[in-house]
Amino acid sequence: MSWTLPVSVIVSIALGLAAPGLRRLFGAGLGRVLALWPLALFVYFLGLAPGIAEGEVWRASFRWFTVPAGWLPGGAGPFDVHFGFALDGLAFLFVLLITGVGALVMFYASSYLGKDENHGAFFAYLMLFVGAMLGVVLADNLFVMYLFWEMTSITSFLLIGFWSHRPESRAGALKALLVTAAGGLAFLAGAALILVAAGSVDLETLLAGGEGLRSSPLYPAMLVLVLLGAFTKSAQAPFHLWLPNAMEAPTPVSAYLHSAAMVKAGIYLIARMAPILGGTALWVLLVAGAGIVSLVLGAYLALRQTDLKAILAFSTISQLGLIIALFGWGTTAAVAAAVLHVLNHSVFKAALFMMVGIVDHETGTRDIRALRGLGAFMPVTAAVAMVAALALAGVPPLNGFVSKEMFFAASLETGPVLAGVPGGGVLAVLFPALAVLGSIFTFIYSLRISHGVFFGQGRPPAAAGGHGRPHDPPAGMWLPPVVLAALAVVLGVAPGLAEGSIVAPAARGVLGPVDVPHLALWHGFNAPLLMSAAVVALGLVAYARGPALDAVIGRLPVAPNMNALYDGFLDGLQKTADFVEKRLMTGFTRDYIAYMLGFLLVLLGVTAASVGPFSLQTDWPPQGSLEWAELLLAVLMAAVALSVPFFRSRVAAVVSMGAVGTGLVIMWTLFRAPDLALTTLVVEPVTLLLFLLVFVYLPRLTRDVFPKTARWVNVALAAGGGLATTLLLLGVRGLRADRTVADWYIENSLPLAHGANVVNVILVDFRGFDTMFEITVLALAGLGVYILSNLRFKGGPK
Amino acid sequence: MPVDGSLRLILPEIIVAGTGLLALTAGLVSRRSRLPGFVSMLGLAAAAYFLLAEVAGETTQIWSGTVLVDGFSTLFKAVFLGIAALIALVSFDYIERNGLPAGEFHLLVLLATVGMMFMAGSLNLITIYIGLECLALASYALTGMLRGSAKSTEASLKYILIGAISSGVILFGMSLVFGVAGSVHLAEINAALAGGTPMLPVLLAGMVFLVAGLGVKMAAVPFHMWAPDVYHGAPAPVAAFLITASEAAAFAAALRIFLVGLPAIQEHWTTVFVALAVITMTFGNVTAIVQTNMRRMLAYSAVAQAGYVMVGLAVASERAVSAMIYYLIAYAFATIGAFAVVILLGRYHPAEDIADYRGLGRRAPLLALTLTVFMLSFIGIPPTAGFFGKFYLFQSAVAAGMPWLALIMVLNSMVSIPYYWGVVQTMYLREGETDAPLPAPAGVRWTAAIGLAATLILGLFPDQVVQLVSAVQVVPALLSGGL
């Protein structure tokens, strides 16, 4: 039991909730104080490295709730779901990123935010986000993971929309939330299918039962759903649409969420699921396919951008695509490269975002066309930019080079993986080719954001305020990116430093206990090196001929993108909703009732059709005798009823209905049901009277009040209703009650109720309550009539 | 009067009805509009005490099978009592502000509650029907209580007209079922139909009428027509009451009628409920998106939520029933809590537009956070009760071999994110016209707090309630042997 795991999550959340209050204590220094918490966590977790490297897994688990027996198909017994945390090699890597980069970003943000901005809210959201991210990567079952997963979506919404006075910020925040929360629900659906198929959501159990899951008939559905969750979170094509808009966030937020944290949650999910759901042809196609497409598409789209942050956003899509492609291939070398690149990408991308924040802060612009030659005024920032961008470009001796080499190597060795995949032969060639193409694009935009901005030819922009030249920011802002840039160099020169303690355990978290390839800057002359050389050579040429390249790209069509679909979807939803509401919810009770009766008839028809043909008692003349009087009366009643729709006056219509009622009274008498006849005889006039009392106040029936279409709808409904009733009556005509209640009352009146008059006994004893309620109802009805007759309506006739 | 002690078993109902009369009297004798509310809450507490101390755990039928006491009915009655108490709590301020007759208001709420208790507490079609009418008549009057408001009056009239039709339809359906099975007792109907019936078409017609009639009460599209207008036009506490308790009662009655009485034709009614569930949730979610009025949005959301619950009827397994009950409880707390905030905002912005929620995150941080939690619960995002509710329903559908129905649920939840989240966005990211804090009356504050606590507890520690609803059986144990 390691209580530090839940504590790290809970304290982060608690600090987040307390942040607005702490603001009063620490003022604008709040961020620096709060940064101490992730820093402390980072140091603490780093101390666990030796144990983790040995393969230790730290766990803390509490029984959360019990799923009772019978929730799963096959009648499985009750089972417990734990609120559990676990720290293994894979989680370890992400925990270090979250806490390490988190501390730096908070430190940086403290200087970045103006004094009068709402530090309390900002750091509250940020701390909550840290807690949520830790929860995602430490969760040891899918439920707990989903809980924190959605929490990251919500806190990232608040962070992206932090500058809420800007409409673009709000739109960006909403888009990020809609896409990722919808993806989250898909993930939940996938988790539920996994639960059904495997009988558990514990990752440990699932790891053991991966085989069964992969052969389950639900496998394709669960894989697609889980991947939907991961791809939306990691902004993979074609769900990358939200990330560029999310750049409306304050830059520290982007530096954290869109380099090391939020988008990495999707990667983490894929890495976690790789040993459980991975390795199949479908997995390779979907995961590697989406990854490589995102790599190329993201890098290509980055070339079309002129805004520094937009370039970085598309770069993130592209780099995450690279990592996901590696997990898609899933070979030992690929996974090792993937986890290493997770680390490397976080390091250099966070540094780049921080660099952009500084440039934006100092010059007031992020447009690379306006930013030239800044290196002379901002040497520290320029150094950070060059190191981080070259790491991104994959230039030795920086960390990006090491993982990119491994990526190229892995792309060349996909043969065995693709053996069972349709079109595998083509893909085996396509993958390395696309890898090189994407890397060339990456190389070009990396130079644009570093060399172009800091050393490009042109007039450097003025400082943000308009006075003098831009200059390096205070230490609070340059120190964090410098730390990261230094790390990029260290990890490049001596990748072995991270190998035993971080990368190998992380890879083993995905692959199981295997030997992870040795990390090194220099692998000798081989194919990957050749590919790298090609990337650098072609990239340099293309960069040097920037204007020509832009001209070519300018002529290419804009890549297909989901923004139109997103907008169209929201717009279409809005329009459909509008249409449906206008059409259905007209506000007229008449229409409401028409819809209801119409649907009732449809239900009757469909249900009747579903039982197939059934017999109707249509023999004529019917059994027993048919008196001429009865027939005549029936025809008369039908005729009167049919005449009702043709009256222009409501009173005439109601009087006709009264005539039908009177016919019914005669009918009851003919069938020897005098009590029924009497009741009807009493009720009919009262109803009529009520109608007449009310109708005086209603407008005359004109076309405006009662349009023709409504009339025809009514005719159709009446006909349908009549038909249904007729069929029903013909169906039940054969039905005879085989017993009567009368005998029971006659037998039991005396012994049970001590009364000889059966009718009296029924009224006051057996059905005593009925009698009482009937009296009550009559009294109420009388009251109603009295009140109605005394009402004076405004605007009614005098 | 029976002397066998059977009266004890409906003591809670008797207490509630008596409390109604007391509340009415209190309203007549006292000028202070709060007294009836306190009387009502005390009476409800007493009824709950007797229900839990005396009735809980019993499973027995009394009075020639017209009243049944079992775990199912006790749980539902407890839910109704709880909802009624919360409604009384939240409406103190509302009644005062709008000049509603406090005595009548509480009387009607309590009478409606009695009706609901009988709907859940009987296997006799006639008793169920009478309970339904008792509820319906009180609801019509409650809906029209805002006499000065045209919206309220119009809603009430629509409700009466459509409600009357639905009562007729239900009664017709019951008479057809009675005609075929020869009994109004659901267990006897079940036994009579067990061997099949030559009158299947008639029975199915009866079933369709029952579905349609109860569909009106459950607000199943397209029988929901009254619901948006009523939920929008009725006094806010009444709307909350109808959305939660009345709907739950309709589901309780439907569960009994279909699962106890008509399992012989289960394949037919589950098919109908599958269609209704899908149509209802989709319609509710899609139309909710365009609403700019908070009450109207919550009204359509209520329709959508009813669609989710209907999945339970479509699946019709023991587990699905448990999931439905869990969902109804979870939904009730979130809805009443959300309405508490609506009532508070209505004090200052009578239009109840979503735009009025701008800047609420600043004006009333705690209430805004509370409302956010309720919205999350409506969507089904943890750590809220709605998450588990949806998950269990989802799971029951998958376990019954209907994963596609579960997926439709998930798709619908995705569609619902924009409009629920729109409220949160408005509260936090839009600047309000004023930063003036919103003082909340105690009743509103407490209701919101109870709703929040329950939503979070059910979302974080669902164990107790899951065990509770899992133990519930629609078909009471005393009958299962004889069926």
Side-chain angles (χ1 to χ4, degrees), chain A residues 734-769:
Chain A
L735 198 68
R736 289 241 172 267
D738 50 1
R739 58 203 159 112
T740 76
V741 288
D743 300 332
W744 187 88
Y745 283 117
I746 292 166
E747 275 166 33
N748 289 298
S749 275
L750 201 55
L752 283 183
H754 308 289
N757 185 328
V758 179
V759 175
N760 282 356
V761 168
I762 290 175
L763 280 179
V764 303
D765 192 309
F766 286 124
R767 315 301 302 261
F769 275 123

mmCIF file of all heavy atoms in Angstrom, chain A residues 734-769:
data_model
loop_
_atom_site.group_PDB
_atom_site.id
_atom_site.type_symbol
_atom_site.label_atom_id
_atom_site.label_comp_id
_atom_site.label_asym_id
_atom_site.label_seq_id
_atom_site.Cartn_x
_atom_site.Cartn_y
_atom_site.Cartn_z
ATOM 1 N N GLY A 734 -66.180 -12.379 -30.181
ATOM 2 C CA GLY A 734 -66.330 -13.774 -29.773
ATOM 3 C C GLY A 734 -66.112 -13.980 -28.284
ATOM 4 O O GLY A 734 -66.326 -15.067 -27.754
ATOM 5 N N LEU A 735 -65.682 -12.910 -27.632
ATOM 6 C CA LEU A 735 -65.307 -13.056 -26.227
ATOM 7 C C LEU A 735 -66.543 -13.086 -25.340
ATOM 8 O O LEU A 735 -67.422 -12.259 -25.438
ATOM 9 C CB LEU A 735 -64.441 -11.855 -25.856
ATOM 10 C CG LEU A 735 -63.591 -11.987 -24.617
ATOM 11 C CD1 LEU A 735 -62.512 -13.006 -24.830
ATOM 12 C CD2 LEU A 735 -62.980 -10.640 -24.293
ATOM 13 N N ARG A 736 -66.592 -14.064 -24.472
ATOM 14 C CA ARG A 736 -67.721 -14.118 -23.537
ATOM 15 C C ARG A 736 -67.153 -14.233 -22.137
ATOM 16 O O ARG A 736 -66.274 -15.049 -21.887
ATOM 17 C CB ARG A 736 -68.588 -15.352 -23.810
ATOM 18 C CG ARG A 736 -69.372 -15.260 -25.073
ATOM 19 C CD ARG A 736 -70.874 -15.322 -24.765
ATOM 20 N NE ARG A 736 -71.630 -15.047 -25.992
ATOM 21 C CZ ARG A 736 -72.045 -13.815 -26.297
ATOM 22 N NH1 ARG A 736 -71.816 -12.816 -25.495
ATOM 23 N NH2 ARG A 736 -72.721 -13.615 -27.413
ATOM 24 N N ALA A 737 -67.639 -13.419 -21.240
ATOM 25 C CA ALA A 737 -67.225 -13.579 -19.857
ATOM 26 C C ALA A 737 -67.802 -14.893 -19.354
ATOM 27 O O ALA A 737 -68.990 -15.163 -19.538
ATOM 28 C CB ALA A 737 -67.738 -12.414 -19.019
ATOM 29 N N ASP A 738 -66.994 -15.760 -18.739
ATOM 30 C CA ASP A 738 -67.482 -17.077 -18.353
ATOM 31 C C ASP A 738 -68.028 -17.087 -16.927
ATOM 32 O O ASP A 738 -68.389 -18.109 -16.401
ATOM 33 C CB ASP A 738 -66.376 -18.128 -18.517
ATOM 34 C CG ASP A 738 -65.102 -17.683 -17.857
ATOM 35 O OD1 ASP A 738 -65.100 -16.583 -17.265
ATOM 36 O OD2 ASP A 738 -64.112 -18.420 -17.935
ATOM 37 N N ARG A 739 -68.017 -15.951 -16.286
ATOM 38 C CA ARG A 739 -68.621 -15.934 -14.959
ATOM 39 C C ARG A 739 -69.186 -14.542 -14.710
ATOM 40 O O ARG A 739 -68.776 -13.569 -15.326
ATOM 41 C CB ARG A 739 -67.579 -16.284 -13.892
ATOM 42 C CG ARG A 739 -66.400 -15.341 -13.897
ATOM 43 C CD ARG A 739 -65.186 -16.007 -13.271
ATOM 44 N NE ARG A 739 -63.994 -15.320 -13.708
ATOM 45 C CZ ARG A 739 -63.231 -14.606 -12.896
ATOM 46 N NH1 ARG A 739 -63.517 -14.498 -11.625
ATOM 47 N NH2 ARG A 739 -62.163 -13.995 -13.355
ATOM 48 N N THR A 740 -70.132 -14.463 -13.851
ATOM 49 C CA THR A 740 -70.677 -13.159 -13.537
ATOM 50 C C THR A 740 -70.442 -12.910 -12.060
ATOM 51 O O THR A 740 -70.325 -13.835 -11.256
ATOM 52 C CB THR A 740 -72.184 -13.095 -13.807
ATOM 53 O OG1 THR A 740 -72.855 -13.778 -12.748
ATOM 54 C CG2 THR A 740 -72.522 -13.745 -15.128
ATOM 55 N N VAL A 741 -70.367 -11.618 -11.710
ATOM 56 C CA VAL A 741 -70.118 -11.290 -10.316
ATOM 57 C C VAL A 741 -71.398 -11.382 -9.492
ATOM 58 O O VAL A 741 -71.358 -11.490 -8.279
ATOM 59 C CB VAL A 741 -69.528 -9.873 -10.175
ATOM 60 C CG1 VAL A 741 -68.115 -9.846 -10.655
ATOM 61 C CG2 VAL A 741 -70.391 -8.874 -10.901
ATOM 62 N N ALA A 742 -72.528 -11.356 -10.206
ATOM 63 C CA ALA A 742 -73.803 -11.287 -9.481
ATOM 64 C C ALA A 742 -73.947 -12.437 -8.485
ATOM 65 O O ALA A 742 -74.331 -12.230 -7.324
ATOM 66 C CB ALA A 742 -74.958 -11.294 -10.462
ATOM 67 N N ASP A 743 -73.599 -13.659 -8.925
ATOM 68 C CA ASP A 743 -73.795 -14.817 -8.053
ATOM 69 C C ASP A 743 -73.036 -14.659 -6.735
ATOM 70 O O ASP A 743 -73.530 -14.993 -5.669
ATOM 71 C CB ASP A 743 -73.315 -16.097 -8.761
ATOM 72 C CG ASP A 743 -74.095 -16.294 -10.039
ATOM 73 O OD1 ASP A 743 -75.256 -15.825 -10.088
ATOM 74 O OD2 ASP A 743 -73.541 -16.882 -10.995
ATOM 75 N N TRP A 744 -71.832 -14.130 -6.857
ATOM 76 C CA TRP A 744 -71.001 -13.988 -5.668
ATOM 77 C C TRP A 744 -71.681 -13.070 -4.656
ATOM 78 O O TRP A 744 -71.754 -13.372 -3.472
ATOM 79 C CB TRP A 744 -69.627 -13.422 -6.058
ATOM 80 C CG TRP A 744 -68.655 -13.395 -4.926
ATOM 81 C CD1 TRP A 744 -67.807 -14.391 -4.556
ATOM 82 C CD2 TRP A 744 -68.460 -12.333 -3.982
ATOM 83 N NE1 TRP A 744 -67.082 -14.021 -3.463
ATOM 84 C CE2 TRP A 744 -67.464 -12.756 -3.085
ATOM 85 C CE3 TRP A 744 -69.031 -11.063 -3.822
ATOM 86 C CZ2 TRP A 744 -67.014 -11.963 -2.041
ATOM 87 C CZ3 TRP A 744 -68.598 -10.272 -2.781
ATOM 88 C CH2 TRP A 744 -67.584 -10.720 -1.893
ATOM 89 N N TYR A 745 -72.230 -11.943 -5.158
ATOM 90 C CA TYR A 745 -72.885 -11.002 -4.251
ATOM 91 C C TYR A 745 -74.127 -11.614 -3.626
ATOM 92 O O TYR A 745 -74.396 -11.453 -2.442
ATOM 93 C CB TYR A 745 -73.251 -9.708 -4.997
ATOM 94 C CG TYR A 745 -72.053 -8.808 -5.226
ATOM 95 C CD1 TYR A 745 -71.623 -8.506 -6.506
ATOM 96 C CD2 TYR A 745 -71.361 -8.279 -4.139
ATOM 97 C CE1 TYR A 745 -70.524 -7.692 -6.717
ATOM 98 C CE2 TYR A 745 -70.266 -7.467 -4.334
ATOM 99 C CZ TYR A 745 -69.845 -7.175 -5.623
ATOM 100 O OH TYR A 745 -68.765 -6.376 -5.810
ATOM 101 N N ILE A 746 -74.886 -12.330 -4.459
ATOM 102 C CA ILE A 746 -76.113 -12.935 -3.932
ATOM 103 C C ILE A 746 -75.776 -13.944 -2.840
ATOM 104 O O ILE A 746 -76.423 -13.995 -1.793
ATOM 105 C CB ILE A 746 -76.895 -13.596 -5.082
ATOM 106 C CG1 ILE A 746 -77.434 -12.505 -6.025
ATOM 107 C CG2 ILE A 746 -78.053 -14.442 -4.545
ATOM 108 C CD1 ILE A 746 -77.933 -13.027 -7.344
ATOM 109 N N GLU A 747 -74.706 -14.706 -3.068
ATOM 110 C CA GLU A 747 -74.324 -15.720 -2.075
ATOM 111 C C GLU A 747 -73.802 -15.091 -0.787
ATOM 112 O O GLU A 747 -74.041 -15.589 0.304
ATOM 113 C CB GLU A 747 -73.213 -16.615 -2.639
ATOM 114 C CG GLU A 747 -73.722 -17.759 -3.470
ATOM 115 C CD GLU A 747 -72.581 -18.380 -4.272
ATOM 116 O OE1 GLU A 747 -71.434 -18.394 -3.773
ATOM 117 O OE2 GLU A 747 -72.845 -18.822 -5.401
ATOM 118 N N ASN A 748 -73.060 -14.005 -0.921
ATOM 119 C CA ASN A 748 -72.304 -13.521 0.230
ATOM 120 C C ASN A 748 -72.925 -12.348 0.985
ATOM 121 O O ASN A 748 -72.416 -11.972 2.036
ATOM 122 C CB ASN A 748 -70.893 -13.143 -0.198
ATOM 123 C CG ASN A 748 -70.083 -14.373 -0.531
ATOM 124 O OD1 ASN A 748 -69.843 -15.225 0.321
ATOM 125 N ND2 ASN A 748 -69.716 -14.513 -1.793
ATOM 126 N N SER A 749 -74.009 -11.781 0.439
ATOM 127 C CA SER A 749 -74.573 -10.600 1.078
ATOM 128 C C SER A 749 -74.967 -10.865 2.524
ATOM 129 O O SER A 749 -74.577 -10.124 3.429
ATOM 130 C CB SER A 749 -75.808 -10.127 0.314
ATOM 131 O OG SER A 749 -75.423 -9.311 -0.736
ATOM 132 N N LEU A 750 -75.716 -11.927 2.703
ATOM 133 C CA LEU A 750 -76.220 -12.207 4.052
ATOM 134 C C LEU A 750 -75.111 -12.659 5.006
ATOM 135 O O LEU A 750 -74.941 -12.076 6.079
ATOM 136 C CB LEU A 750 -77.364 -13.215 3.984
ATOM 137 C CG LEU A 750 -78.291 -13.227 5.191
ATOM 138 C CD1 LEU A 750 -78.868 -11.843 5.468
ATOM 139 C CD2 LEU A 750 -79.421 -14.229 4.982
ATOM 140 N N PRO A 751 -74.334 -13.697 4.627
ATOM 141 C CA PRO A 751 -73.330 -14.171 5.590
ATOM 142 C C PRO A 751 -72.252 -13.139 5.909
ATOM 143 O O PRO A 751 -71.814 -13.040 7.059
ATOM 144 C CB PRO A 751 -72.716 -15.401 4.906
ATOM 145 C CG PRO A 751 -73.132 -15.340 3.491
ATOM 146 C CD PRO A 751 -74.400 -14.551 3.425
ATOM 147 N N LEU A 752 -71.818 -12.358 4.935
ATOM 148 C CA LEU A 752 -70.699 -11.464 5.203
ATOM 149 C C LEU A 752 -71.144 -10.117 5.733
ATOM 150 O O LEU A 752 -70.512 -9.553 6.617
ATOM 151 C CB LEU A 752 -69.875 -11.242 3.916
ATOM 152 C CG LEU A 752 -68.942 -12.384 3.515
ATOM 153 C CD1 LEU A 752 -68.146 -11.983 2.278
ATOM 154 C CD2 LEU A 752 -67.996 -12.737 4.646
ATOM 155 N N ALA A 753 -72.248 -9.598 5.144
ATOM 156 C CA ALA A 753 -72.618 -8.222 5.491
ATOM 157 C C ALA A 753 -73.925 -8.139 6.252
ATOM 158 O O ALA A 753 -74.369 -7.045 6.598
ATOM 159 C CB ALA A 753 -72.718 -7.377 4.220
ATOM 160 N N HIS A 754 -74.534 -9.272 6.499
ATOM 161 C CA HIS A 754 -75.776 -9.310 7.269
ATOM 162 C C HIS A 754 -76.857 -8.432 6.679
ATOM 163 O O HIS A 754 -77.580 -7.755 7.377
ATOM 164 C CB HIS A 754 -75.518 -8.911 8.742
ATOM 165 C CG HIS A 754 -74.408 -9.704 9.360
ATOM 166 N ND1 HIS A 754 -74.519 -11.041 9.673
ATOM 167 C CD2 HIS A 754 -73.138 -9.350 9.663
ATOM 168 C CE1 HIS A 754 -73.369 -11.466 10.160
ATOM 169 N NE2 HIS A 754 -72.517 -10.463 10.160
ATOM 170 N N GLY A 755 -76.949 -8.395 5.353
ATOM 171 C CA GLY A 755 -77.998 -7.617 4.717
ATOM 172 C C GLY A 755 -78.725 -8.472 3.707
ATOM 173 O O GLY A 755 -78.100 -9.253 2.970
ATOM 174 N N ALA A 756 -80.036 -8.357 3.664
ATOM 175 C CA ALA A 756 -80.805 -9.182 2.737
ATOM 176 C C ALA A 756 -80.979 -8.510 1.391
ATOM 177 O O ALA A 756 -81.116 -9.173 0.371
ATOM 178 C CB ALA A 756 -82.171 -9.519 3.345
ATOM 179 N N ASN A 757 -80.981 -7.186 1.384
ATOM 180 C CA ASN A 757 -81.135 -6.462 0.130
ATOM 181 C C ASN A 757 -79.765 -6.333 -0.539
ATOM 182 O O ASN A 757 -78.919 -5.545 -0.135
ATOM 183 C CB ASN A 757 -81.722 -5.081 0.419
ATOM 184 C CG ASN A 757 -82.023 -4.324 -0.873
ATOM 185 O OD1 ASN A 757 -81.327 -4.502 -1.871
ATOM 186 N ND2 ASN A 757 -83.054 -3.505 -0.829
ATOM 187 N N VAL A 758 -79.568 -7.154 -1.570
ATOM 188 C CA VAL A 758 -78.239 -7.263 -2.170
ATOM 189 C C VAL A 758 -77.767 -5.915 -2.701
ATOM 190 O O VAL A 758 -76.605 -5.514 -2.510
ATOM 191 C CB VAL A 758 -78.242 -8.316 -3.288
ATOM 192 C CG1 VAL A 758 -76.868 -8.413 -3.912
ATOM 193 C CG2 VAL A 758 -78.679 -9.659 -2.734
ATOM 194 N N VAL A 759 -78.684 -5.186 -3.378
ATOM 195 C CA VAL A 759 -78.270 -3.909 -3.973
ATOM 196 C C VAL A 759 -77.818 -2.937 -2.893
ATOM 197 O O VAL A 759 -76.768 -2.294 -2.998
ATOM 198 C CB VAL A 759 -79.438 -3.317 -4.787
ATOM 199 C CG1 VAL A 759 -79.053 -1.932 -5.298
ATOM 200 C CG2 VAL A 759 -79.774 -4.232 -5.938
ATOM 201 N N ASN A 760 -78.585 -2.866 -1.817
ATOM 202 C CA ASN A 760 -78.209 -1.983 -0.722
ATOM 203 C C ASN A 760 -76.862 -2.352 -0.145
ATOM 204 O O ASN A 760 -76.010 -1.498 0.142
ATOM 205 C CB ASN A 760 -79.262 -2.037 0.398
ATOM 206 C CG ASN A 760 -80.470 -1.204 0.039
ATOM 207 O OD1 ASN A 760 -80.458 -0.548 -1.009
ATOM 208 N ND2 ASN A 760 -81.488 -1.238 0.870
ATOM 209 N N VAL A 761 -76.668 -3.666 0.034
ATOM 210 C CA VAL A 761 -75.407 -4.118 0.619
ATOM 211 C C VAL A 761 -74.231 -3.727 -0.273
ATOM 212 O O VAL A 761 -73.191 -3.258 0.192
ATOM 213 C CB VAL A 761 -75.443 -5.640 0.862
ATOM 214 C CG1 VAL A 761 -74.041 -6.144 1.184
ATOM 215 C CG2 VAL A 761 -76.398 -5.968 1.969
ATOM 216 N N ILE A 762 -74.435 -3.911 -1.572
ATOM 217 C CA ILE A 762 -73.351 -3.540 -2.489
ATOM 218 C C ILE A 762 -73.034 -2.054 -2.357
ATOM 219 O O ILE A 762 -71.878 -1.649 -2.262
ATOM 220 C CB ILE A 762 -73.739 -3.875 -3.943
ATOM 221 C CG1 ILE A 762 -73.771 -5.388 -4.150
ATOM 222 C CG2 ILE A 762 -72.750 -3.243 -4.926
ATOM 223 C CD1 ILE A 762 -74.251 -5.808 -5.508
ATOM 224 N N LEU A 763 -74.058 -1.242 -2.313
ATOM 225 C CA LEU A 763 -73.860 0.209 -2.301
ATOM 226 C C LEU A 763 -73.171 0.682 -1.032
ATOM 227 O O LEU A 763 -72.269 1.518 -1.089
ATOM 228 C CB LEU A 763 -75.202 0.925 -2.455
ATOM 229 C CG LEU A 763 -75.732 1.003 -3.870
ATOM 230 C CD1 LEU A 763 -77.071 1.713 -3.905
ATOM 231 C CD2 LEU A 763 -74.740 1.732 -4.775
ATOM 232 N N VAL A 764 -73.618 0.163 0.117
ATOM 233 C CA VAL A 764 -73.086 0.732 1.354
ATOM 234 C C VAL A 764 -71.985 -0.098 1.973
ATOM 235 O O VAL A 764 -71.282 0.380 2.853
ATOM 236 C CB VAL A 764 -74.189 0.950 2.407
ATOM 237 C CG1 VAL A 764 -75.279 1.835 1.853
ATOM 238 C CG2 VAL A 764 -74.750 -0.387 2.874
ATOM 239 N N ASP A 765 -71.824 -1.334 1.533
ATOM 240 C CA ASP A 765 -70.816 -2.153 2.190
ATOM 241 C C ASP A 765 -69.707 -2.584 1.235
ATOM 242 O O ASP A 765 -68.594 -2.085 1.300
ATOM 243 C CB ASP A 765 -71.495 -3.367 2.822
ATOM 244 C CG ASP A 765 -70.549 -4.084 3.753
ATOM 245 O OD1 ASP A 765 -69.428 -4.388 3.323
ATOM 246 O OD2 ASP A 765 -70.917 -4.347 4.917
ATOM 247 N N PHE A 766 -70.071 -3.503 0.305
ATOM 248 C CA PHE A 766 -69.018 -4.026 -0.571
ATOM 249 C C PHE A 766 -68.326 -2.927 -1.344
ATOM 250 O O PHE A 766 -67.116 -2.897 -1.484
ATOM 251 C CB PHE A 766 -69.621 -5.048 -1.543
ATOM 252 C CG PHE A 766 -69.958 -6.347 -0.886
ATOM 253 C CD1 PHE A 766 -71.253 -6.858 -0.953
ATOM 254 C CD2 PHE A 766 -69.000 -7.063 -0.190
ATOM 255 C CE1 PHE A 766 -71.563 -8.065 -0.354
ATOM 256 C CE2 PHE A 766 -69.319 -8.265 0.416
ATOM 257 C CZ PHE A 766 -70.603 -8.770 0.348
ATOM 258 N N ARG A 767 -69.140 -2.027 -1.890
ATOM 259 C CA ARG A 767 -68.550 -0.937 -2.664
ATOM 260 C C ARG A 767 -68.782 0.396 -1.962
ATOM 261 O O ARG A 767 -69.039 1.394 -2.604
ATOM 262 C CB ARG A 767 -69.126 -0.894 -4.076
ATOM 263 C CG ARG A 767 -69.227 -2.239 -4.782
ATOM 264 C CD ARG A 767 -67.871 -2.915 -4.908
ATOM 265 N NE ARG A 767 -66.902 -2.115 -5.615
ATOM 266 C CZ ARG A 767 -66.615 -2.313 -6.897
ATOM 267 N NH1 ARG A 767 -67.197 -3.255 -7.575
ATOM 268 N NH2 ARG A 767 -65.719 -1.567 -7.488
ATOM 269 N N GLY A 768 -68.690 0.359 -0.641
ATOM 270 C CA GLY A 768 -68.975 1.568 0.132
ATOM 271 C C GLY A 768 -68.083 2.744 -0.248
ATOM 272 O O GLY A 768 -68.541 3.875 -0.398
ATOM 273 N N PHE A 769 -66.807 2.452 -0.434
ATOM 274 C CA PHE A 769 -65.886 3.531 -0.798
ATOM 275 C C PHE A 769 -66.273 4.140 -2.133
ATOM 276 O O PHE A 769 -66.207 5.348 -2.327
ATOM 277 C CB PHE A 769 -64.444 2.998 -0.858
ATOM 278 C CG PHE A 769 -63.774 2.999 0.488
ATOM 279 C CD1 PHE A 769 -63.253 1.835 1.027
ATOM 280 C CD2 PHE A 769 -63.655 4.188 1.193
ATOM 281 C CE1 PHE A 769 -62.634 1.850 2.256
ATOM 282 C CE2 PHE A 769 -63.021 4.204 2.428
ATOM 283 C CZ PHE A 769 -62.514 3.020 2.968
#
